[in-house]
């Protein structure tokens, strides 16, 4: 098997996606991250990938936001698919070609049709949940309660000042231009592209969460290593590719 260098972390996408499979926007995004043991992460990643680490540490992210206007094949977003909350538990991966990505361990959403489309069409771990995103001044509250299950999350962040120059860790956790996913008997890689994240410092006011442990990870035992907020970005996804192909 050829040996590939790991691609650099870049705050801007390495290349545009001219013919998107999917378009959408992520709005009111809270990103909370904890350091994790790479061994705990490695056993949860799809074949052909390994933990992407920084200074020897892996990371687990709890990402809450509003999905807005999901569209297919360049068509305008469907009104019904506008403005629904989503909360993800995600890990960070690199494949044998050196492409960095994310691996979703769970994806809670409040709309049943996107949940079914994500599960059936892409093999993604979507779950139908009762959810809300509410803002009062500079505080944003995100709630998740899985239908028919005990897993819940209640997280509140206070939005702080804009970040002019993200740190190496902040870029490592946010500048992710693809996802790895085990589906249909193989590992797929799905590229994404969006403008550079407009990031703000944030303070974690509350985090009463079961989603991380429900995703098969140990409960965090220390304070987060990063708490960020973004007003959001428009996103484009390319066609899925296998782990040794060039991408969509």
């Amino acid at each position: 098997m050829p040996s590939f260098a790991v691609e650099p972390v870049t705050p801007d996408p390495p290349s545009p996606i001219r013919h998107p499979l999917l378009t959408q926007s992520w709005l009111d995004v809270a990103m909370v991250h904890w350091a994790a043991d790479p061994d705990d992460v490695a056993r949860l990643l799809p074949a052909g990938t390994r933990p992407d680490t920084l200074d020897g540490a892996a990371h687990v992210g709890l990402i809450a936001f509003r999905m807005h206007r999901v569209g297919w094949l360049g068509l305008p977003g469907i009104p019904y698919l506008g403005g629904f909350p989503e909360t993800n538990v995600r890990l960070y991966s690199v494949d044998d070609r050196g492409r960095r990505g994310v691996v979703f361990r769970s994806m809670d959403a409040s709309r049943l049709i996107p949940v079914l489309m994500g599960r059936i069409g892409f093999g993604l771990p979507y779950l139908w949940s009762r959810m809300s995103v509410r803002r009062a001044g500079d505080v944003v509250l995100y709630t998740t309660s899985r239908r028919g299950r005990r897993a819940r999350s209640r997280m509140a962040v206070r939005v702080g000042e804009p970040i002019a120059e993200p740190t190496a860790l902040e870029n490592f956790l946010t500048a992710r231009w693809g996802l790895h996913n085990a589906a249909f008997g193989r590992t797929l890689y799905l590229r994404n592209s969006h403008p550079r994240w407009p990031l703000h410092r944030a303070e974690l006011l509350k985090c009463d969460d079961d989603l991380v442990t429900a995703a098969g990870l140990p409960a965090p035992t220390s304070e987060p290593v990063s708490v960020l907020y973004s007003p959001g970005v428009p996103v484009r996804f390319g066609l899925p590719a296998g782990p040794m192909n060039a991408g969509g």
Side-chain angles (χ1 to χ4, degrees), residues 41 44-47 49-52 59-61 88-94 100-107 124-125 176 178-182 187-188 215 217:
V41 169
L44 300 174
L45 299 183
T49 70
R50 62 189 186 275
D52 194 5
H59 297 84
V60 54
N88 300 329
V89 175
R90 74 184 198 185
L91 306 173
Y92 299 91
S93 52
V94 60
R100 300 179 188 269
V102 303
V103 172
F104 292 107
R105 289 296 300 163
S106 64
M107 306 172 77
L124 291 167
R176 293 280 152 172
L179 69 90
H180 295 106
N181 186 52
T187 299
L188 300 177
L217 291 149

PDB file of all heavy atoms in Angstrom, residues 41 44-47 49-52 59-61 88-94 100-107 124-125 176 178-182 187-188 215 217:
ATOM      1  N   VAL A  41     -10.669   6.104  21.305  1.00  0.00           N
ATOM      2  CA  VAL A  41     -11.204   6.574  20.028  1.00  0.00           C
ATOM      3  C   VAL A  41     -10.986   5.544  18.922  1.00  0.00           C
ATOM      4  O   VAL A  41     -11.876   5.294  18.097  1.00  0.00           O
ATOM      5  CB  VAL A  41     -10.550   7.919  19.660  1.00  0.00           C
ATOM      6  CG1 VAL A  41     -10.872   8.324  18.227  1.00  0.00           C
ATOM      7  CG2 VAL A  41     -11.003   9.003  20.639  1.00  0.00           C
ATOM      8  N   LEU A  44     -13.516   2.894  17.868  1.00  0.00           N
ATOM      9  CA  LEU A  44     -14.813   3.370  17.387  1.00  0.00           C
ATOM     10  C   LEU A  44     -14.749   3.906  15.959  1.00  0.00           C
ATOM     11  O   LEU A  44     -15.766   4.360  15.433  1.00  0.00           O
ATOM     12  CB  LEU A  44     -15.338   4.462  18.316  1.00  0.00           C
ATOM     13  CG  LEU A  44     -15.544   4.054  19.779  1.00  0.00           C
ATOM     14  CD1 LEU A  44     -15.932   5.260  20.623  1.00  0.00           C
ATOM     15  CD2 LEU A  44     -16.586   2.957  19.903  1.00  0.00           C
ATOM     16  N   LEU A  45     -13.580   3.855  15.331  1.00  0.00           N
ATOM     17  CA  LEU A  45     -13.414   4.424  14.003  1.00  0.00           C
ATOM     18  C   LEU A  45     -13.613   3.366  12.917  1.00  0.00           C
ATOM     19  O   LEU A  45     -13.375   2.183  13.138  1.00  0.00           O
ATOM     20  CB  LEU A  45     -12.019   5.042  13.867  1.00  0.00           C
ATOM     21  CG  LEU A  45     -11.691   6.180  14.828  1.00  0.00           C
ATOM     22  CD1 LEU A  45     -10.311   6.736  14.515  1.00  0.00           C
ATOM     23  CD2 LEU A  45     -12.736   7.280  14.770  1.00  0.00           C
ATOM     24  N   PRO A  46     -14.024   3.783  11.717  1.00  0.00           N
ATOM     25  CA  PRO A  46     -14.215   2.821  10.626  1.00  0.00           C
ATOM     26  C   PRO A  46     -12.889   2.284  10.101  1.00  0.00           C
ATOM     27  O   PRO A  46     -11.826   2.885  10.306  1.00  0.00           O
ATOM     28  CB  PRO A  46     -14.951   3.633   9.564  1.00  0.00           C
ATOM     29  CG  PRO A  46     -14.675   5.050   9.875  1.00  0.00           C
ATOM     30  CD  PRO A  46     -14.466   5.132  11.357  1.00  0.00           C
ATOM     31  N   ALA A  47     -12.960   1.158   9.424  1.00  0.00           N
ATOM     32  CA  ALA A  47     -11.772   0.518   8.857  1.00  0.00           C
ATOM     33  C   ALA A  47     -11.050   1.483   7.925  1.00  0.00           C
ATOM     34  O   ALA A  47     -11.666   2.276   7.202  1.00  0.00           O
ATOM     35  CB  ALA A  47     -12.179  -0.740   8.100  1.00  0.00           C
ATOM     36  N   THR A  49      -9.103   3.916   8.896  1.00  0.00           N
ATOM     37  CA  THR A  49      -8.838   5.205   9.534  1.00  0.00           C
ATOM     38  C   THR A  49      -8.234   4.976  10.906  1.00  0.00           C
ATOM     39  O   THR A  49      -8.350   3.889  11.486  1.00  0.00           O
ATOM     40  CB  THR A  49     -10.116   6.059   9.680  1.00  0.00           C
ATOM     41  OG1 THR A  49     -10.983   5.470  10.657  1.00  0.00           O
ATOM     42  CG2 THR A  49     -10.848   6.180   8.354  1.00  0.00           C
ATOM     43  N   ARG A  50      -7.621   6.005  11.436  1.00  0.00           N
ATOM     44  CA  ARG A  50      -7.025   5.969  12.768  1.00  0.00           C
ATOM     45  C   ARG A  50      -7.281   7.320  13.434  1.00  0.00           C
ATOM     46  O   ARG A  50      -7.635   8.288  12.756  1.00  0.00           O
ATOM     47  CB  ARG A  50      -5.529   5.675  12.682  1.00  0.00           C
ATOM     48  CG  ARG A  50      -4.728   6.719  11.918  1.00  0.00           C
ATOM     49  CD  ARG A  50      -3.289   6.270  11.682  1.00  0.00           C
ATOM     50  NE  ARG A  50      -2.470   7.312  11.065  1.00  0.00           N
ATOM     51  CZ  ARG A  50      -2.400   7.530   9.759  1.00  0.00           C
ATOM     52  NH1 ARG A  50      -3.116   6.793   8.930  1.00  0.00           N
ATOM     53  NH2 ARG A  50      -1.621   8.499   9.290  1.00  0.00           N
ATOM     54  N   PRO A  51      -7.086   7.417  14.754  1.00  0.00           N
ATOM     55  CA  PRO A  51      -7.315   8.709  15.408  1.00  0.00           C
ATOM     56  C   PRO A  51      -6.374   9.782  14.879  1.00  0.00           C
ATOM     57  O   PRO A  51      -5.174   9.539  14.675  1.00  0.00           O
ATOM     58  CB  PRO A  51      -7.031   8.408  16.888  1.00  0.00           C
ATOM     59  CG  PRO A  51      -7.234   6.940  17.031  1.00  0.00           C
ATOM     60  CD  PRO A  51      -6.783   6.347  15.732  1.00  0.00           C
ATOM     61  N   ASP A  52      -6.909  10.941  14.611  1.00  0.00           N
ATOM     62  CA  ASP A  52      -6.106  12.114  14.283  1.00  0.00           C
ATOM     63  C   ASP A  52      -5.818  12.817  15.607  1.00  0.00           C
ATOM     64  O   ASP A  52      -6.754  13.230  16.308  1.00  0.00           O
ATOM     65  CB  ASP A  52      -6.867  13.027  13.329  1.00  0.00           C
ATOM     66  CG  ASP A  52      -5.971  14.072  12.688  1.00  0.00           C
ATOM     67  OD1 ASP A  52      -4.748  14.032  12.917  1.00  0.00           O
ATOM     68  OD2 ASP A  52      -6.496  14.932  11.955  1.00  0.00           O
ATOM     69  N   HIS A  59      -9.547  13.715  20.504  1.00  0.00           N
ATOM     70  CA  HIS A  59     -10.569  14.623  21.024  1.00  0.00           C
ATOM     71  C   HIS A  59     -11.954  14.105  20.689  1.00  0.00           C
ATOM     72  O   HIS A  59     -12.155  13.454  19.659  1.00  0.00           O
ATOM     73  CB  HIS A  59     -10.390  16.034  20.445  1.00  0.00           C
ATOM     74  CG  HIS A  59      -9.101  16.671  20.826  1.00  0.00           C
ATOM     75  ND1 HIS A  59      -7.920  16.437  20.139  1.00  0.00           N
ATOM     76  CD2 HIS A  59      -8.789  17.516  21.850  1.00  0.00           C
ATOM     77  CE1 HIS A  59      -6.936  17.107  20.709  1.00  0.00           C
ATOM     78  NE2 HIS A  59      -7.447  17.767  21.743  1.00  0.00           N
ATOM     79  N   VAL A  60     -12.893  14.399  21.574  1.00  0.00           N
ATOM     80  CA  VAL A  60     -14.309  14.129  21.322  1.00  0.00           C
ATOM     81  C   VAL A  60     -15.044  15.456  21.352  1.00  0.00           C
ATOM     82  O   VAL A  60     -14.812  16.289  22.234  1.00  0.00           O
ATOM     83  CB  VAL A  60     -14.888  13.130  22.347  1.00  0.00           C
ATOM     84  CG1 VAL A  60     -14.650  13.593  23.778  1.00  0.00           C
ATOM     85  CG2 VAL A  60     -16.368  12.895  22.104  1.00  0.00           C
ATOM     86  N   GLY A  61     -15.902  15.653  20.363  1.00  0.00           N
ATOM     87  CA  GLY A  61     -16.635  16.903  20.260  1.00  0.00           C
ATOM     88  C   GLY A  61     -18.125  16.712  20.452  1.00  0.00           C
ATOM     89  O   GLY A  61     -18.707  15.742  19.947  1.00  0.00           O
ATOM     90  N   ASN A  88     -24.412  16.632  17.454  1.00  0.00           N
ATOM     91  CA  ASN A  88     -23.536  15.541  17.041  1.00  0.00           C
ATOM     92  C   ASN A  88     -22.490  15.244  18.106  1.00  0.00           C
ATOM     93  O   ASN A  88     -21.968  16.160  18.743  1.00  0.00           O
ATOM     94  CB  ASN A  88     -22.790  15.901  15.750  1.00  0.00           C
ATOM     95  CG  ASN A  88     -23.726  16.177  14.591  1.00  0.00           C
ATOM     96  OD1 ASN A  88     -24.805  15.613  14.514  1.00  0.00           O
ATOM     97  ND2 ASN A  88     -23.305  17.043  13.686  1.00  0.00           N
ATOM     98  N   VAL A  89     -22.175  13.959  18.259  1.00  0.00           N
ATOM     99  CA  VAL A  89     -20.964  13.535  18.960  1.00  0.00           C
ATOM    100  C   VAL A  89     -19.997  13.077  17.881  1.00  0.00           C
ATOM    101  O   VAL A  89     -20.318  12.184  17.086  1.00  0.00           O
ATOM    102  CB  VAL A  89     -21.243  12.390  19.956  1.00  0.00           C
ATOM    103  CG1 VAL A  89     -19.930  11.905  20.575  1.00  0.00           C
ATOM    104  CG2 VAL A  89     -22.209  12.848  21.038  1.00  0.00           C
ATOM    105  N   ARG A  90     -18.831  13.695  17.833  1.00  0.00           N
ATOM    106  CA  ARG A  90     -17.916  13.371  16.743  1.00  0.00           C
ATOM    107  C   ARG A  90     -16.489  13.185  17.233  1.00  0.00           C
ATOM    108  O   ARG A  90     -16.073  13.743  18.262  1.00  0.00           O
ATOM    109  CB  ARG A  90     -17.981  14.422  15.640  1.00  0.00           C
ATOM    110  CG  ARG A  90     -17.333  15.748  15.946  1.00  0.00           C
ATOM    111  CD  ARG A  90     -17.569  16.725  14.800  1.00  0.00           C
ATOM    112  NE  ARG A  90     -16.639  17.846  14.822  1.00  0.00           N
ATOM    113  CZ  ARG A  90     -16.691  18.881  14.002  1.00  0.00           C
ATOM    114  NH1 ARG A  90     -17.646  18.937  13.080  1.00  0.00           N
ATOM    115  NH2 ARG A  90     -15.797  19.863  14.071  1.00  0.00           N
ATOM    116  N   LEU A  91     -15.757  12.392  16.438  1.00  0.00           N
ATOM    117  CA  LEU A  91     -14.345  12.111  16.663  1.00  0.00           C
ATOM    118  C   LEU A  91     -13.556  12.577  15.452  1.00  0.00           C
ATOM    119  O   LEU A  91     -14.135  12.932  14.419  1.00  0.00           O
ATOM    120  CB  LEU A  91     -14.139  10.606  16.886  1.00  0.00           C
ATOM    121  CG  LEU A  91     -14.982   9.965  17.987  1.00  0.00           C
ATOM    122  CD1 LEU A  91     -14.803   8.450  17.990  1.00  0.00           C
ATOM    123  CD2 LEU A  91     -14.623  10.552  19.355  1.00  0.00           C
ATOM    124  N   TYR A  92     -12.225  12.524  15.552  1.00  0.00           N
ATOM    125  CA  TYR A  92     -11.365  13.052  14.501  1.00  0.00           C
ATOM    126  C   TYR A  92     -10.456  11.954  13.972  1.00  0.00           C
ATOM    127  O   TYR A  92      -9.827  11.228  14.746  1.00  0.00           O
ATOM    128  CB  TYR A  92     -10.586  14.256  15.036  1.00  0.00           C
ATOM    129  CG  TYR A  92     -11.569  15.324  15.441  1.00  0.00           C
ATOM    130  CD1 TYR A  92     -12.071  15.375  16.744  1.00  0.00           C
ATOM    131  CD2 TYR A  92     -12.089  16.187  14.500  1.00  0.00           C
ATOM    132  CE1 TYR A  92     -13.037  16.297  17.091  1.00  0.00           C
ATOM    133  CE2 TYR A  92     -13.053  17.120  14.848  1.00  0.00           C
ATOM    134  CZ  TYR A  92     -13.527  17.163  16.141  1.00  0.00           C
ATOM    135  OH  TYR A  92     -14.506  18.061  16.479  1.00  0.00           O
ATOM    136  N   SER A  93     -10.407  11.860  12.644  1.00  0.00           N
ATOM    137  CA  SER A  93      -9.806  10.706  11.991  1.00  0.00           C
ATOM    138  C   SER A  93      -8.859  11.145  10.884  1.00  0.00           C
ATOM    139  O   SER A  93      -8.918  12.266  10.378  1.00  0.00           O
ATOM    140  CB  SER A  93     -10.926   9.830  11.386  1.00  0.00           C
ATOM    141  OG  SER A  93     -11.782  10.632  10.565  1.00  0.00           O
ATOM    142  N   VAL A  94      -7.995  10.212  10.492  1.00  0.00           N
ATOM    143  CA  VAL A  94      -7.162  10.373   9.305  1.00  0.00           C
ATOM    144  C   VAL A  94      -7.108   9.013   8.629  1.00  0.00           C
ATOM    145  O   VAL A  94      -7.029   7.978   9.296  1.00  0.00           O
ATOM    146  CB  VAL A  94      -5.760  10.916   9.657  1.00  0.00           C
ATOM    147  CG1 VAL A  94      -5.005   9.978  10.594  1.00  0.00           C
ATOM    148  CG2 VAL A  94      -4.950  11.194   8.408  1.00  0.00           C
ATOM    149  N   ARG A 100      -7.633  14.048   6.474  1.00  0.00           N
ATOM    150  CA  ARG A 100      -8.232  14.263   7.788  1.00  0.00           C
ATOM    151  C   ARG A 100      -9.748  14.347   7.647  1.00  0.00           C
ATOM    152  O   ARG A 100     -10.262  14.813   6.628  1.00  0.00           O
ATOM    153  CB  ARG A 100      -7.707  15.552   8.409  1.00  0.00           C
ATOM    154  CG  ARG A 100      -6.193  15.601   8.611  1.00  0.00           C
ATOM    155  CD  ARG A 100      -5.805  16.948   9.204  1.00  0.00           C
ATOM    156  NE  ARG A 100      -4.372  17.136   9.249  1.00  0.00           N
ATOM    157  CZ  ARG A 100      -3.584  16.809  10.274  1.00  0.00           C
ATOM    158  NH1 ARG A 100      -4.129  16.257  11.352  1.00  0.00           N
ATOM    159  NH2 ARG A 100      -2.290  17.018  10.238  1.00  0.00           N
ATOM    160  N   GLY A 101     -10.451  13.938   8.696  1.00  0.00           N
ATOM    161  CA  GLY A 101     -11.902  14.014   8.656  1.00  0.00           C
ATOM    162  C   GLY A 101     -12.500  13.925  10.034  1.00  0.00           C
ATOM    163  O   GLY A 101     -11.802  13.937  11.058  1.00  0.00           O
ATOM    164  N   VAL A 102     -13.811  13.828  10.057  1.00  0.00           N
ATOM    165  CA  VAL A 102     -14.548  13.577  11.288  1.00  0.00           C
ATOM    166  C   VAL A 102     -15.270  12.244  11.147  1.00  0.00           C
ATOM    167  O   VAL A 102     -15.563  11.786  10.039  1.00  0.00           O
ATOM    168  CB  VAL A 102     -15.567  14.696  11.609  1.00  0.00           C
ATOM    169  CG1 VAL A 102     -14.871  16.048  11.704  1.00  0.00           C
ATOM    170  CG2 VAL A 102     -16.685  14.748  10.581  1.00  0.00           C
ATOM    171  N   VAL A 103     -15.542  11.629  12.279  1.00  0.00           N
ATOM    172  CA  VAL A 103     -16.368  10.423  12.347  1.00  0.00           C
ATOM    173  C   VAL A 103     -17.495  10.718  13.326  1.00  0.00           C
ATOM    174  O   VAL A 103     -17.240  11.061  14.486  1.00  0.00           O
ATOM    175  CB  VAL A 103     -15.556   9.197  12.810  1.00  0.00           C
ATOM    176  CG1 VAL A 103     -16.475   8.007  13.062  1.00  0.00           C
ATOM    177  CG2 VAL A 103     -14.508   8.835  11.774  1.00  0.00           C
ATOM    178  N   PHE A 104     -18.724  10.610  12.853  1.00  0.00           N
ATOM    179  CA  PHE A 104     -19.873  10.860  13.708  1.00  0.00           C
ATOM    180  C   PHE A 104     -20.243   9.585  14.452  1.00  0.00           C
ATOM    181  O   PHE A 104     -20.494   8.549  13.841  1.00  0.00           O
ATOM    182  CB  PHE A 104     -21.064  11.342  12.876  1.00  0.00           C
ATOM    183  CG  PHE A 104     -20.862  12.695  12.277  1.00  0.00           C
ATOM    184  CD1 PHE A 104     -20.620  12.850  10.924  1.00  0.00           C
ATOM    185  CD2 PHE A 104     -20.897  13.829  13.076  1.00  0.00           C
ATOM    186  CE1 PHE A 104     -20.426  14.101  10.371  1.00  0.00           C
ATOM    187  CE2 PHE A 104     -20.701  15.090  12.541  1.00  0.00           C
ATOM    188  CZ  PHE A 104     -20.465  15.226  11.182  1.00  0.00           C
ATOM    189  N   ARG A 105     -20.309   9.695  15.771  1.00  0.00           N
ATOM    190  CA  ARG A 105     -20.770   8.576  16.591  1.00  0.00           C
ATOM    191  C   ARG A 105     -22.271   8.648  16.818  1.00  0.00           C
ATOM    192  O   ARG A 105     -22.914   7.627  17.023  1.00  0.00           O
ATOM    193  CB  ARG A 105     -20.034   8.570  17.933  1.00  0.00           C
ATOM    194  CG  ARG A 105     -18.579   8.185  17.828  1.00  0.00           C
ATOM    195  CD  ARG A 105     -18.422   6.761  17.340  1.00  0.00           C
ATOM    196  NE  ARG A 105     -19.077   5.814  18.259  1.00  0.00           N
ATOM    197  CZ  ARG A 105     -19.381   4.568  17.949  1.00  0.00           C
ATOM    198  NH1 ARG A 105     -19.148   4.094  16.747  1.00  0.00           N
ATOM    199  NH2 ARG A 105     -19.959   3.791  18.849  1.00  0.00           N
ATOM    200  N   SER A 106     -22.838   9.843  16.811  1.00  0.00           N
ATOM    201  CA  SER A 106     -24.289  10.009  16.863  1.00  0.00           C
ATOM    202  C   SER A 106     -24.636  11.355  16.280  1.00  0.00           C
ATOM    203  O   SER A 106     -23.845  12.307  16.351  1.00  0.00           O
ATOM    204  CB  SER A 106     -24.827   9.875  18.293  1.00  0.00           C
ATOM    205  OG  SER A 106     -24.331  10.906  19.125  1.00  0.00           O
ATOM    206  N   MET A 107     -25.855  11.419  15.681  1.00  0.00           N
ATOM    207  CA  MET A 107     -26.339  12.638  15.051  1.00  0.00           C
ATOM    208  C   MET A 107     -27.827  12.749  15.385  1.00  0.00           C
ATOM    209  O   MET A 107     -28.665  12.117  14.742  1.00  0.00           O
ATOM    210  CB  MET A 107     -26.114  12.590  13.536  1.00  0.00           C
ATOM    211  CG  MET A 107     -24.664  12.298  13.155  1.00  0.00           C
ATOM    212  SD  MET A 107     -24.433  12.021  11.376  1.00  0.00           S
ATOM    213  CE  MET A 107     -24.515  13.702  10.763  1.00  0.00           C
ATOM    214  N   LEU A 124     -25.457   7.011   7.996  1.00  0.00           N
ATOM    215  CA  LEU A 124     -25.027   7.850   9.105  1.00  0.00           C
ATOM    216  C   LEU A 124     -25.860   7.561  10.352  1.00  0.00           C
ATOM    217  O   LEU A 124     -27.039   7.212  10.253  1.00  0.00           O
ATOM    218  CB  LEU A 124     -25.157   9.330   8.722  1.00  0.00           C
ATOM    219  CG  LEU A 124     -24.173   9.808   7.654  1.00  0.00           C
ATOM    220  CD1 LEU A 124     -24.584  11.176   7.128  1.00  0.00           C
ATOM    221  CD2 LEU A 124     -22.750   9.854   8.207  1.00  0.00           C
ATOM    222  N   PRO A 125     -25.284   7.740  11.543  1.00  0.00           N
ATOM    223  CA  PRO A 125     -25.964   7.354  12.795  1.00  0.00           C
ATOM    224  C   PRO A 125     -26.957   8.395  13.292  1.00  0.00           C
ATOM    225  O   PRO A 125     -26.883   8.868  14.432  1.00  0.00           O
ATOM    226  CB  PRO A 125     -24.795   7.173  13.773  1.00  0.00           C
ATOM    227  CG  PRO A 125     -23.779   8.167  13.314  1.00  0.00           C
ATOM    228  CD  PRO A 125     -23.886   8.158  11.797  1.00  0.00           C
ATOM    229  N   ARG A 176     -12.160  21.024   9.191  1.00  0.00           N
ATOM    230  CA  ARG A 176     -12.314  19.627   8.792  1.00  0.00           C
ATOM    231  C   ARG A 176     -13.052  19.583   7.460  1.00  0.00           C
ATOM    232  O   ARG A 176     -14.195  20.017   7.374  1.00  0.00           O
ATOM    233  CB  ARG A 176     -13.102  18.865   9.862  1.00  0.00           C
ATOM    234  CG  ARG A 176     -12.346  18.737  11.179  1.00  0.00           C
ATOM    235  CD  ARG A 176     -11.336  17.621  11.088  1.00  0.00           C
ATOM    236  NE  ARG A 176     -10.186  17.830  11.952  1.00  0.00           N
ATOM    237  CZ  ARG A 176      -9.248  16.913  12.149  1.00  0.00           C
ATOM    238  NH1 ARG A 176      -9.352  15.738  11.551  1.00  0.00           N
ATOM    239  NH2 ARG A 176      -8.215  17.166  12.910  1.00  0.00           N
ATOM    240  N   GLY A 178     -13.840  16.918   5.437  1.00  0.00           N
ATOM    241  CA  GLY A 178     -14.407  15.646   5.008  1.00  0.00           C
ATOM    242  C   GLY A 178     -14.861  14.837   6.198  1.00  0.00           C
ATOM    243  O   GLY A 178     -14.537  15.143   7.352  1.00  0.00           O
ATOM    244  N   LEU A 179     -15.637  13.792   5.910  1.00  0.00           N
ATOM    245  CA  LEU A 179     -16.041  12.863   6.962  1.00  0.00           C
ATOM    246  C   LEU A 179     -15.802  11.438   6.489  1.00  0.00           C
ATOM    247  O   LEU A 179     -15.891  11.122   5.300  1.00  0.00           O
ATOM    248  CB  LEU A 179     -17.500  13.075   7.369  1.00  0.00           C
ATOM    249  CG  LEU A 179     -18.626  12.710   6.396  1.00  0.00           C
ATOM    250  CD1 LEU A 179     -19.068  11.260   6.576  1.00  0.00           C
ATOM    251  CD2 LEU A 179     -19.823  13.627   6.603  1.00  0.00           C
ATOM    252  N   HIS A 180     -15.445  10.583   7.439  1.00  0.00           N
ATOM    253  CA  HIS A 180     -15.299   9.149   7.199  1.00  0.00           C
ATOM    254  C   HIS A 180     -16.493   8.428   7.812  1.00  0.00           C
ATOM    255  O   HIS A 180     -16.885   8.738   8.934  1.00  0.00           O
ATOM    256  CB  HIS A 180     -14.008   8.614   7.840  1.00  0.00           C
ATOM    257  CG  HIS A 180     -12.753   9.173   7.245  1.00  0.00           C
ATOM    258  ND1 HIS A 180     -11.973  10.114   7.904  1.00  0.00           N
ATOM    259  CD2 HIS A 180     -12.143   8.937   6.058  1.00  0.00           C
ATOM    260  CE1 HIS A 180     -10.925  10.414   7.142  1.00  0.00           C
ATOM    261  NE2 HIS A 180     -10.998   9.722   6.017  1.00  0.00           N
ATOM    262  N   ASN A 181     -17.032   7.470   7.064  1.00  0.00           N
ATOM    263  CA  ASN A 181     -18.211   6.766   7.556  1.00  0.00           C
ATOM    264  C   ASN A 181     -18.237   5.346   7.019  1.00  0.00           C
ATOM    265  O   ASN A 181     -18.027   5.119   5.820  1.00  0.00           O
ATOM    266  CB  ASN A 181     -19.491   7.489   7.122  1.00  0.00           C
ATOM    267  CG  ASN A 181     -20.726   6.871   7.724  1.00  0.00           C
ATOM    268  OD1 ASN A 181     -20.806   6.684   8.938  1.00  0.00           O
ATOM    269  ND2 ASN A 181     -21.701   6.524   6.899  1.00  0.00           N
ATOM    270  N   ALA A 182     -18.477   4.373   7.907  1.00  0.00           N
ATOM    271  CA  ALA A 182     -18.639   2.979   7.498  1.00  0.00           C
ATOM    272  C   ALA A 182     -20.063   2.784   7.011  1.00  0.00           C
ATOM    273  O   ALA A 182     -21.023   2.964   7.772  1.00  0.00           O
ATOM    274  CB  ALA A 182     -18.333   2.043   8.666  1.00  0.00           C
ATOM    275  N   THR A 187     -15.670   1.784   3.892  1.00  0.00           N
ATOM    276  CA  THR A 187     -15.505   3.104   4.475  1.00  0.00           C
ATOM    277  C   THR A 187     -15.581   4.147   3.372  1.00  0.00           C
ATOM    278  O   THR A 187     -14.831   4.084   2.394  1.00  0.00           O
ATOM    279  CB  THR A 187     -14.160   3.213   5.214  1.00  0.00           C
ATOM    280  OG1 THR A 187     -14.129   2.256   6.271  1.00  0.00           O
ATOM    281  CG2 THR A 187     -13.976   4.611   5.799  1.00  0.00           C
ATOM    282  N   LEU A 188     -16.496   5.094   3.532  1.00  0.00           N
ATOM    283  CA  LEU A 188     -16.673   6.168   2.567  1.00  0.00           C
ATOM    284  C   LEU A 188     -16.060   7.456   3.100  1.00  0.00           C
ATOM    285  O   LEU A 188     -15.980   7.675   4.308  1.00  0.00           O
ATOM    286  CB  LEU A 188     -18.163   6.393   2.285  1.00  0.00           C
ATOM    287  CG  LEU A 188     -18.937   5.213   1.703  1.00  0.00           C
ATOM    288  CD1 LEU A 188     -20.407   5.577   1.561  1.00  0.00           C
ATOM    289  CD2 LEU A 188     -18.358   4.790   0.365  1.00  0.00           C
ATOM    290  N   ALA A 215     -22.573   7.216  23.065  1.00  0.00           N
ATOM    291  CA  ALA A 215     -21.822   6.990  21.836  1.00  0.00           C
ATOM    292  C   ALA A 215     -20.670   6.015  22.025  1.00  0.00           C
ATOM    293  O   ALA A 215     -19.906   5.778  21.090  1.00  0.00           O
ATOM    294  CB  ALA A 215     -21.296   8.321  21.299  1.00  0.00           C
ATOM    295  N   LEU A 217     -18.199   6.253  24.456  1.00  0.00           N
ATOM    296  CA  LEU A 217     -16.990   6.893  24.962  1.00  0.00           C
ATOM    297  C   LEU A 217     -17.065   7.073  26.465  1.00  0.00           C
ATOM    298  O   LEU A 217     -18.157   7.199  27.028  1.00  0.00           O
ATOM    299  CB  LEU A 217     -16.818   8.263  24.311  1.00  0.00           C
ATOM    300  CG  LEU A 217     -16.480   8.214  22.822  1.00  0.00           C
ATOM    301  CD1 LEU A 217     -17.037   9.424  22.094  1.00  0.00           C
ATOM    302  CD2 LEU A 217     -14.971   8.111  22.638  1.00  0.00           C
TER     303      LEU A 217
END
